[in-house]
Amino acid sequence: MAPARLRTIEDLGDLATKTVLVRADLNVPLEDGRITDDLRITATAPTLQELLDAGATLVVCSHLGRPNGKRVDALRLDPVAARLSEVLGQPVRKLDEVTGTEVQRAVMSASAGSVTLLENLRFDPREEANDPEFSSDLASLADLYVDDAFGAAHRTHASVVGVALRLPSAAGRLMQREVEVLSRLRGAPDLPFVAILGGAKVSDKLGTITALVERVDALLIGGAMAFSFLAAEGVAVGRSLVEPDRFDEVRAARRAANARGVRIQLPEDVLAAPEPGADARPNVFGVEEIPAGQMGLDIGPATVRAFAGTISSAGTILWNGPMGMFELEPFEAGTRGIAEAVARSPGFTVVGGGDSLAALRRFGLAGRIDHLSTGGGASLEFLEGRELPGIAVLMEEGT
Ligand code: ADP
Ligand code: MG
């Protein structure tokens, strides 16, 4: 039997005069109604443009935030429509409903080659319930379905799974590229394969750590999660963020790494301060010397050098999670140093995680990374080897 294959836009045939429902991931960060990072919009735009260039009329849908089945004004898609329109260079007609007769009428009367954006899918509780009737209502708007929302592929939601089962369906280009790149990391990465993990909570990423230990040659750990690794071995880390209820799992991951000969590299030094703050004056301490009243809020310069050394000889690099509280200027150097090392690397580089991508963009280094994974939780679940429901419905047995 040939391996399962992801259906792509080619599989949909001639798109001229067809209406295509596109599930996009336009879940961008907002502050006071303004988009603070439009990466998810620009990342899916080539798919939309390709469909338009092929003669299709588009109905685009997405979720935004967590309205939990209720209409939340702050989570309407109007700012997204405005930005999408700028990126595509053509008007985007934004509707105020997700489904219903108004939507039916608007889509029926849409002119050829136009783009219509539905309201936030998660305003309707039936979206997250994968409700059959809601799925049918969405499917009735179009002839074909394209899913470009890799970031939602781990969800069994109506717009991800239900619709795909009701229309001829295929992956969009962003979805396709995410699956290709992450499959390569899961399958046959160029060696040595080095993973860099950071971020706030070790509990968010234990599944990923456990899965990566089976695949990588070295695992570099920074961010707050490093303190759980250190504290689990009895190191006193002052007031740094730790999750004691996860120490057993952390120790188990370390044993698994040792058994496979995988090097886990932890910080040697950190920047610590009594409190996080934009005007904090941190000092560098060896990890064994963090004062009882202080918190480790970034990796130190010796750690940056050591991590950069491992990074420079990697064939493949996966990075997820900042090395410190980079949002605050006094604690950004560690994340910046690692971002520069990854950008310089001759290996194949993949960076995922909302905050990690925000850091890269802030440092102006996003363009020097081979693949920016927009997936977040979906990317991590994919790397863990789990089957994602939104991808499973787009797979076809080869012939
Ligand atoms: P991503 O979105 O890239 O997956 P996470 O959401 O897991 O990353 O973690 C990002 C957050 O971790 C950032 O807000 C950052 O401030 C925080 N963080 C990193 N290091 C520390 C630390 N030492 N102490 C407290 N918070 C930290
Ligand atoms: Mg995050």
Side-chain angles (χ1 to χ4, degrees):
M1 197 175 69
R5 186 183 70 86
L6 190 68
R7 291 193 300 276
T8 58
I9 292 172
E10 290 73 19
D11 293 284
L12 296 175
D14 185 10
L15 298 175
T17 76
K18 294 284 171 53
T19 297
V20 181
L21 177 69
V22 182
R23 173 52 160 108
D25 176 7
L26 306 174
N27 183 28
V28 290
L30 289 171
E31 247 168 54
D32 303 323
R34 283 188 42 251
I35 297 170
T36 53
D37 186 336
D38 65 358
L39 176 69
R40 285 183 164 165
I41 296 175
T42 55
T44 202
T47 298
L48 302 180
Q49 195 60 58
E50 180 178 344
L51 297 170
L52 290 167
D53 291 345
T57 301
L58 304 185
V59 178
V60 181
C61 60
S62 176
H63 73 286
L64 178 64
R66 298 175 183 269
N68 293 321
K70 297 193 195 66
R71 301 187 72 93
V72 176
D73 273 341
L75 295 175
R76 287 173 172 276
L77 285 179
D78 298 72
V80 169
R83 184 72 192 111
L84 182 60
S85 165
E86 285 168 14
V87 171
L88 292 175
Q90 78 172 72
V92 170
R93 181 177 185 197
K94 156 72 178 40
L95 305 182
D96 291 329
E97 305 292 331
V98 187
T99 56
T101 46
E102 287 303 312
V103 172
Q104 293 277 357
R105 199 170 305 152
V107 170
M108 293 268 280
S109 65
S111 52
S114 65
V115 180
T116 302
L117 178 65
L118 305 182
E119 187 51 280
N120 191 340
L121 288 161
R122 292 191 188 166
F123 282 4
D124 194 315
R126 297 176 299 171
E127 159 67 359
E128 292 179 70
N130 193 25
D131 180 88
E133 202 177 314
F134 183 72
S135 301
S136 296
D137 281 354
L138 287 173
S140 74
L141 299 173
D143 306 304
L144 305 167
Y145 168 79
V146 167
D147 187 2
D148 217 22
F150 181 71
H154 57 322
R155 306 292 186 202
T156 308
H157 293 172
S159 69
V160 175
V161 172
V163 177
L165 298 171
R166 286 168 170 80
L167 285 174
S169 58
R173 297 304 179 201
L174 176 61
M175 173 76 91
Q176 189 182 343
R177 170 111 175 113
E178 292 272 13
V179 170
E180 278 165 12
V181 168
L182 298 176
S183 298
R184 177 168 159 191
L185 262 49
R186 225 164 63 166
D190 290 341
L191 302 180
F193 183 4
V194 174
I196 312 158
L197 292 178
K201 293 173 81 183
V202 74
S203 50
D204 283 347
K205 294 177 186 174
L206 269 164
T208 312
I209 294 170
T210 308
L212 284 175
V213 156
E214 300 298 319
R215 299 197 169 89
V216 300
D217 299 294
L219 188 53
L220 314 185
I221 297 187
M225 70 162 73
F227 298 109
S228 283
F229 275 82
L230 292 164
E233 301 299 321
V235 177
V237 295
R239 294 178 49 239
S240 308
L241 219 61
V242 289
E243 293 176 83
D245 55 329
R246 300 305 182 124
F247 286 179
D248 283 343
E249 288 165 85
V250 165
R251 283 189 287 257
R254 255 185 127 156
R255 278 196 302 275
N258 284 338
R260 263 203 81 233
V262 173
R263 184 150 67 108
I264 293 197
Q265 224 174 319
L266 293 173
E268 303 162 24
D269 60 348
V270 297
L271 287 188
E275 294 291 337
D279 49 6
R281 308 274 242 38
N283 289 303
V284 179
F285 298 97
V287 286
E288 314 253 352
E289 275 95 45
I290 303 172
Q294 301 206 15
M295 307 177 73
L297 292 163
D298 194 9
I299 56 174
T303 304
V304 172
R305 280 194 297 277
F307 282 13
T310 305
I311 290 167
S312 68
S313 61
T316 303
I317 296 166
L318 170 68
W319 179 23
N320 181 294
M323 296 291 100
M325 216 180 245
F326 74 98
E327 300 92 335
L328 301 175
E329 205 262 353
F331 306 105
E332 70 158 39
T335 303
R336 184 190 285 274
I338 295 309
E340 284 167 353
V342 174
R344 271 198 308 274
S345 159
F348 182 68
T349 53
V350 180
V351 181
D355 294 291
S356 310
L357 295 178
L360 273 177
R361 299 189 108 200
R362 154 115 65 108
F363 304 143
L365 295 169
R368 293 173 56 196
I369 305 301
D370 292 308
H371 180 67
L372 302 176
S373 185
T374 56
S379 314
L380 298 181
E381 286 196 21
F382 191 92
L383 289 169
E384 283 169 32
R386 295 205 233 167
E387 182 184 84
L388 308 190
I391 293 173
V393 288
L394 304 175
M395 300 298 283
E396 185 170 72
E397 294 302 322
T399 48

